[in-house]
Amino acid sequence: MRLFHRLTGWFRSRSLRSRLAMLTAAAVAVAIALSALACWFLVKDQLYKQVKQTLQEAPPRPVLPQEKPASPKGLLSCGSTAYQALSLSKQLDSIRPAHPFPNKWDVQLVAADGMVCFPTGSTKIINVDPSDLSRLDSGLSYTFREGSYENGRPALVRQSPVTLPMEDGTAKPFVMLVANETANQENALRGLGLLLIGVAGLGVVGAGVTGTLVARQALKPVDQLTDVVEHIARTEEVGTTIPVQGNDEIARLATSFNSMSTALLNSRERQTRLIADAGHELRTPLTSLRTNVDLMIRSDETGRPLPPATRTKLLGNMKAQMQELTVLIGDLLQLSRPDSPKPGQNLTVLALHDIAARAVERARLRGPSLTFAVELDPWYVRGDGPALDRAVINLLDNAVKYSPPGGTIEVALHQGALTVRDHGPGIPPDELPYVFDRFWRSPSSRQLPGSGLGLSIVAQTIQDTGGEVALGPARDGGPGALATIRLPGQSDLPQ
């Protein structure tokens, strides 16, 4: 077990290219080994089947003329041992008829009492196996076993029970062993085995080389990806991409990396732009505050106090600048939240119609000369209450800011679609793609108060709630702009 863990650890410590090459070589080696074994066993079965067919052609018993008794004068030479019987058979070969199984089979008969008999012309002794005598009472016509000759040469032996007449007139049971030498078959199988081993070895080496080349080519995009990642880690230059070829898994990985790198670049650019825009927007109120504070300090240091009216105006300006800073910092904090909050975080069931009604009441205070046409149907959503309040208020504040004195603002909520329509100057078509960008302000409205973050907060809040927001021209083609918020929900209060 320890050796297995060691080998596993060693394998995992190799490079991906080496592991892929080794796995390819191992898979090919297993396939070649299985094919070689199947081939070897198939050839062995065919060779031995031919030997068996040859043995099956042998007569089931010795052919004895007129069934003469098995005596030295007959066709069989018998003795108490195989050596004695074979020696007697060789001495009498010149005076007896020819061997009934000439040159094609080697035959030997064995009795239960140890008597061994050979037909005339026999030249080989078949080694007797203990299982041979058990065939005397088996009732089977014949069976086969692997055996050998007395000189050690391999053979395939057929065993069959026979009964022969003896000189005393009795019938004696024997086991007739018919054998054919299988040395040629063994040599052929040995040569085939060596050939298959050589072919398998060459196949494994070739598979290793091929696996290395395939792994190198297949992992080339991974090497490129690694180089790019190391370059980014070393230089912090996000946005670098790699070429994509094909549509396989490596190509998908490269595409995903390119998307991630581009997203990181865009994120860094947005972050840099946000910092620059925030610094620019903070500079104006801070500069005004510093000027007013310096003026008041200088008047005190010179002993020339400011007139009460001037001092009151300066303090009012400072308060307004502080309020602008407070709103700007609040907007920045709102936008600094993660773009993808955790599911279920700060989510409750909210009455969107109540949120819209509260926002309308606040907008009435900011635009007392404006007329509000309100039509709100019940609609319940799941979301962050303070964030939705802020988003709807920002939308209505934007409509109040651009509405002419005495104008009308139409607010409607039907089937989860909240629309706010003003009758102001509207938005030029070329500026519509930028209205939800952070700190973006139309050139025609830069003299109006605001930081350019209100609509960005609206877009982020609505997207976090799972809805959609759009801003465009009025549907009837009249003056003004139409803002639409769509949020998933239902008209009945969820239980």
Side-chain angles (χ1 to χ4, degrees):
M1 196 67 178
R2 185 177 301 175
L3 178 60
F4 174 77
H5 288 301
R6 254 186 211 177
L7 290 175
T8 303
W10 175 85
F11 179 77
R12 291 177 178 174
S13 65
R14 303 297 94 188
S15 65
L16 180 59
R17 181 181 291 105
S18 299
R19 281 183 285 168
L20 185 58
M22 286 188 287
L23 288 176
T24 302
V28 173
V30 170
I32 292 177
L34 292 177
S35 300
L37 285 175
C39 176
W40 191 86
F41 281 106
L42 181 63
V43 172
K44 178 183 178 182
D45 181 70
Q46 292 298 322
L47 291 177
Y48 276 86
K49 185 179 291 185
Q50 294 176 2
V51 178
K52 286 183 179 179
Q53 289 177 350
T54 302
L55 293 177
Q56 287 174 346
E57 295 174 0
R61 54 181 296 162
V63 179
L64 304 178
Q66 300 177 1
E67 292 297 334
K68 292 184 179 181
S71 65
K73 296 181 181 180
L75 293 178
L76 297 177
S77 299
C78 300
S80 58
T81 65
Y83 291 102
Q84 180 183 1
L86 183 60
S87 176
L88 181 59
S89 175
K90 291 180 178 180
Q91 293 175 8
L92 300 178
D93 280 344
S94 59
I95 61 174
R96 294 189 303 185
H99 180 22
F101 308 118
N103 302 324
K104 198 170 183 179
W105 307 284
D106 295 303
V107 179
Q108 179 176 320
L109 294 99
V110 182
D113 58 3
M115 177 181 290
V116 179
C117 297
F118 288 96
T120 182
S122 297
T123 59
K124 298 179 182 178
I125 298 176
I126 304 172
N127 290 330
V128 179
D129 190 85
S131 63
D132 293 337
L133 296 178
S134 63
R135 303 301 175 190
L136 290 171
D137 302 321
S138 65
L140 300 176
S141 58
Y142 56 82
T143 57
F144 295 93
R145 69 171 176 85
E146 292 185 4
S148 62
Y149 292 102
E150 181 268 339
N151 59 7
R153 305 276 289 179
L156 186 65
V157 182
R158 191 192 77 177
Q159 309 161 304
S160 58
V162 295
T163 302
L164 298 177
M166 303 304 292
E167 292 182 342
D168 56 3
T170 62
K172 189 171 186 175
F174 288 86
V175 173
M176 186 172 73
L177 305 178
V178 182
N180 261 5
E181 188 174 323
T182 57
N184 292 336
Q185 288 78 8
E186 294 287 339
N187 293 334
L189 290 175
R190 191 176 298 108
L192 178 63
L194 293 175
L195 177 63
L196 292 176
I197 290 174
V199 172
L202 292 176
V204 171
V205 173
V209 174
T210 304
T212 301
L213 296 177
V214 170
R216 181 177 301 171
Q217 185 65 25
L219 297 178
K220 188 175 181 180
V222 178
D223 292 337
Q224 295 175 344
L225 179 61
T226 303
D227 294 339
V228 172
V229 172
E230 291 175 349
H231 173 76
I232 292 175
R234 185 173 57 256
T235 63
E236 298 186 358
E237 295 179 1
V238 296
T240 306
T241 59
I242 59 176
V244 179
Q245 298 177 352
N247 56 357
D248 54 6
E249 290 79 2
I250 300 296
R252 289 173 54 194
L253 176 62
T255 302
S256 299
F257 173 81
N258 290 342
S259 301
M260 180 192 70
S261 181
T262 304
L264 286 175
L265 178 62
N266 294 336
S267 177
R268 173 173 287 186
E269 291 178 348
R270 287 195 301 268
Q271 182 183 22
T272 303
R273 188 167 59 248
L274 175 62
I275 294 174
D277 293 341
H280 175 75
E281 294 294 332
L282 288 170
R283 186 182 298 115
T284 301
L286 286 175
T287 302
S288 178
L289 277 174
R290 181 178 179 180
T291 302
N292 292 333
V293 170
D294 287 344
L295 181 59
M296 295 180 69
I297 292 175
R298 190 179 303 112
S299 67
D300 291 339
E301 289 177 348
T302 58
R304 298 168 58 186
L306 295 172
T310 304
R311 185 180 181 87
T312 300
K313 185 177 180 180
L314 286 177
L315 291 175
N317 288 337
M318 292 172 65
K319 182 179 180 180
Q321 297 298 333
M322 291 295 295
Q323 289 177 344
E324 186 177 347
L325 280 175
T326 301
V327 172
L328 180 57
I329 292 173
D331 291 344
L332 288 173
L333 290 175
Q334 177 76 12
L335 289 172
S336 67
R337 297 185 311 162
D339 290 339
S340 300
K342 295 180 180 179
Q345 182 179 11
N346 301 326
L347 298 183
T348 57
V349 177
L350 304 171
L352 184 59
H353 50 282
D354 290 341
I355 294 176
R358 291 195 298 268
V360 169
E361 294 303 318
R362 174 169 170 169
R364 291 182 193 275
L365 298 177
R366 297 197 59 184
S369 64
L370 301 175
T371 300
F372 288 83
V374 182
E375 186 178 349
L376 302 175
D377 294 339
W379 192 256
Y380 297 90
V381 299
R382 294 185 66 86
D384 186 344
L388 275 180
D389 281 336
R390 182 75 175 275
V392 178
I393 289 173
N394 285 354
L395 206 60
L396 283 167
D397 285 349
N398 195 69
V400 170
K401 183 191 304 184
Y402 292 100
S403 292
T408 301
I409 296 178
E410 302 171 6
V411 182
L413 175 60
H414 299 295
Q415 294 297 316
L418 175 64
T419 58
V420 178
R421 159 78 186 280
D422 64 63
H423 292 75
I427 304 174
D430 58 334
E431 297 180 2
L432 285 175
Y434 311 105
V435 294
F436 294 111
D437 291 350
R438 297 171 180 178
F439 293 107
W440 185 87
R441 299 179 69 185
S442 174
S444 61
S445 62
R446 292 190 182 277
Q447 71 278 6
L448 297 176
S451 62
L453 295 175
L455 291 179
S456 297
I457 294 175
V458 173
Q460 178 171 308
T461 302
I462 299 305
Q463 290 174 1
D464 291 346
T465 314
E468 300 175 351
V469 60
L471 185 61
R475 295 172 182 167
D476 57 6
L482 176 66
T484 304
I485 291 177
R486 297 183 183 276
L487 289 174
Q490 59 188 67
S491 58
D492 299 328
L493 180 65
Q495 301 296 325

